[in-house]
Amino acid sequence: MSSLSLPAWLLLIVATLALSLIATRLSIRYANRREMFDLPGRRRSHQLPTPRGGGVGIVLAVLVGLGAYAIIASRSSGGFASMTLFASIILVALVGWIDDHQGLRAPIRFLAHCLAALLLGLPSLLLLFPGF
């Protein structure tokens, strides 16, 4: 059972959404100033130049929201699982941020995503194989 009341859940959701909107707007403004655009092309889904890096605002809001929840609900177990979740989100976001700024080769991005998936599944693996 959750340790948060409905009003607390709603407040956390609204605050996370507001932070996401503000941070995304600021990151898009940053991308526009630095002229970080994906240009339309054969392998692109957009028709106009599109600023890169807007996802960092969403990632920031998710991390803050999850962090706030973890602090509020700290009476429950799952600290290790929370740390691996945070680490996997940060790893994927960091690789995306670097790729938006200078470009990364696909094998490096793939390796980072595989590592993030391993981090995310690590708590489950440790439960399945306790002596591992």
Side-chain angles (χ1 to χ4, degrees):
M1 189 73 182
S2 173
S3 60
L4 291 181
S5 65
L6 181 60
W9 269 113
L10 292 175
L11 179 62
L12 183 59
I13 290 168
V14 169
T16 302
L17 177 63
L19 178 60
S20 176
L21 291 172
I22 293 166
T24 300
R25 181 163 293 248
L26 290 173
S27 64
I28 290 172
R29 187 179 300 165
Y30 169 83
N32 283 326
R33 274 191 311 229
R34 301 235 359 196
E35 297 181 7
M36 296 172 26
F37 298 106
D38 274 334
L39 301 174
R42 192 172 40 143
R43 297 182 61 202
R44 309 291 174 142
S45 62
H46 47 275
Q47 302 299 319
L48 301 171
T50 305
R52 290 190 237 162
V56 73
I58 296 168
V59 170
L60 175 67
V62 166
L63 289 172
V64 169
L66 286 173
Y69 176 74
I71 290 169
I72 293 167
S74 63
R75 294 181 297 251
S76 66
S77 62
F80 181 69
S82 297
M83 288 188 311
T84 60
L85 174 62
F86 277 92
S88 62
I89 291 171
I90 291 169
L91 177 60
V92 170
L94 181 63
V95 167
W97 181 256
I98 293 169
D99 188 43
D100 286 341
H101 280 79
Q102 64 190 33
L104 285 176
R105 293 181 27 223
I108 294 172
R109 292 191 316 264
F110 181 71
L111 182 63
H113 284 87
C114 288
L115 181 58
L118 181 64
L119 281 170
L120 196 55
L122 190 58
S124 296
L125 287 173
L126 293 175
L127 285 174
L128 288 173
F129 306 105
F132 183 62

